[in-house]
Amino acid sequence: MSHGYGAPQDPQQPQQQPQYSQYPPQQPFGAPQPQPPHQQQQPKRSWIARHKVLTAVGAIVVLGVIGAAVGAGGSGDKDKGKDNTAHSGTKSDAKGGGKTGEKAGEKAEEKKEQEAKPAIAGEGDFQVGGDVKPGTYRTTGNTDGMCYWERAKDSKGELDSILANDNVSGTSYVTIAAGDKLFKSTGCKDWTAVDEKAKGTPPGGPLKGDGGMFKVGVDIAPGTYKSSGNTDDMCYWERAKDAGHGIDSIAANDNVSGSAIVTITAKDAYFKTTGCKDWKKTG
């Protein structure tokens, strides 16, 4: 422990004193002190005389201890202030984190709402690049072949203007190319944009024979399927490489009476079925 300038340095310890059966209680300074019982050894100095120097040293020690305690208390207060500051910072960070989480949640909701909005709503003619962006789109829930769509290379409205078209029952996928000029939709449900590379877990069970188009790996799993009881060549099926609906898009197709058996490969992009009985997976 550090002492002030001129303070006594490390006073020597008193000699070992005889132990008494009961240590004399300390009296107020200056009051007469009781004497220890008589011993046969040489008489010692009085208790006051023996402790006078120690009392002075004790006062210095007490002051030193008080000073250390005060210093420790001040340090503790500072540390407490630091702890409070750190704790306050934690609360601030927690609040900031909460706000960040809320903002992230709001952005996720906005993105979800935007994705839920149809890319092509209602009926009419849509200019490619202006009203609708190039890409692949899906419409579903159509009935009785009343949905008609068309990709056109110009807006003349002539037969030669048509690049691809179809009448749809159930679901249809269409890829609008960057070179297309016009997309027409009549009597169809709203169209939503889809990711061509998306994969999923196809549902099991029978496949609707008049369900329209099914994306392989998402709506339908690769395998062998059978449709029975078809009449008058009204069942049409098609394995497609893409959703362009051109001649080059067709990998294989057929009009069927009776039973039809088709093996859909993992390389196929879509399977189309119209006017057929339901398909059951056989392999």
Side-chain angles (χ1 to χ4, degrees):
M1 179 177 65
S2 174
H3 297 284
Y5 182 81
Q9 302 294 323
D10 298 325
Q12 297 182 356
Q13 299 296 325
Q15 298 179 356
Q16 183 69 29
Q17 300 298 325
Q19 300 297 322
Y20 304 111
S21 58
Q22 184 175 1
Y23 194 80
Q26 185 177 2
Q27 301 296 328
F29 187 81
Q33 303 296 323
Q35 298 300 319
H38 178 72
Q39 303 290 334
Q40 293 180 356
Q41 298 177 4
Q42 184 179 355
K44 304 294 183 181
R45 292 181 297 169
S46 67
W47 188 85
I48 294 176
R50 286 187 288 107
H51 290 77
K52 189 179 294 183
V53 176
L54 293 177
T55 302
V57 175
I60 296 173
V61 172
V62 170
L63 290 176
V65 171
I66 292 173
V70 171
S75 176
D77 291 340
K78 290 180 181 179
D79 292 341
K80 184 176 180 182
K82 291 179 181 179
D83 291 342
N84 290 338
T85 302
H87 186 62
S88 175
T90 302
K91 287 184 178 179
S92 176
D93 293 342
K95 290 181 181 178
K99 290 181 180 179
T100 303
E102 290 176 2
K103 289 181 180 180
E106 290 175 359
K107 289 182 179 180
E109 288 295 328
E110 290 177 1
K111 184 177 180 180
K112 188 175 180 181
E113 289 178 1
Q114 290 176 357
E115 290 177 351
K117 291 180 180 179
I120 306 173
E123 299 182 304
D125 295 343
F126 302 90
Q127 188 174 12
V128 178
D131 303 321
V132 61
K133 296 179 180 179
T136 300
Y137 299 87
R138 178 179 184 263
T139 180
T140 190
N142 302 286
T143 58
D144 302 326
M146 297 303 294
C147 166
Y148 172 80
W149 64 261
E150 178 184 308
R151 290 173 50 219
K153 62 183 180 181
D154 55 46
S155 56
K156 295 179 181 179
E158 300 175 353
L159 186 62
D160 189 53
S161 299
I162 299 173
L163 295 171
N165 64 349
D166 199 7
N167 288 95
V168 179
S169 286
T171 301
S172 183
Y173 289 84
V174 178
T175 297
I176 300 172
D180 295 353
K181 299 300 182 182
L182 201 70
F183 179 74
K184 178 179 286 189
S185 177
T186 304
C188 302
K189 300 292 184 180
D190 292 339
W191 297 80
T192 57
V194 298
D195 183 2
E196 274 287 323
K197 298 180 180 179
K199 297 294 181 181
T201 304
L207 191 70
K208 290 185 177 180
D210 204 31
M213 287 181 72
F214 298 88
K215 184 172 175 58
V216 178
V218 176
D219 304 319
I220 183 175
T224 300
Y225 293 81
K226 181 178 181 180
S227 173
S228 301
N230 301 289
T231 58
D232 301 327
D233 289 337
M234 296 300 295
C235 170
Y236 172 80
W237 64 260
E238 178 184 311
R239 291 169 45 224
K241 303 174 185 177
D242 53 50
H245 295 268
I247 297 297
D248 293 337
S249 299
I250 300 173
N253 64 347
D254 199 5
N255 287 96
V256 180
S257 287
S259 296
I261 299 175
V262 179
T263 297
I264 301 169
T265 71
K267 293 182 179 180
D268 294 338
Y270 299 91
F271 178 71
K272 181 177 180 180
T273 173
T274 303
C276 303
K277 298 296 181 180
D278 290 350
W279 297 84
K280 294 182 181 180
K281 194 170 186 293
T282 60

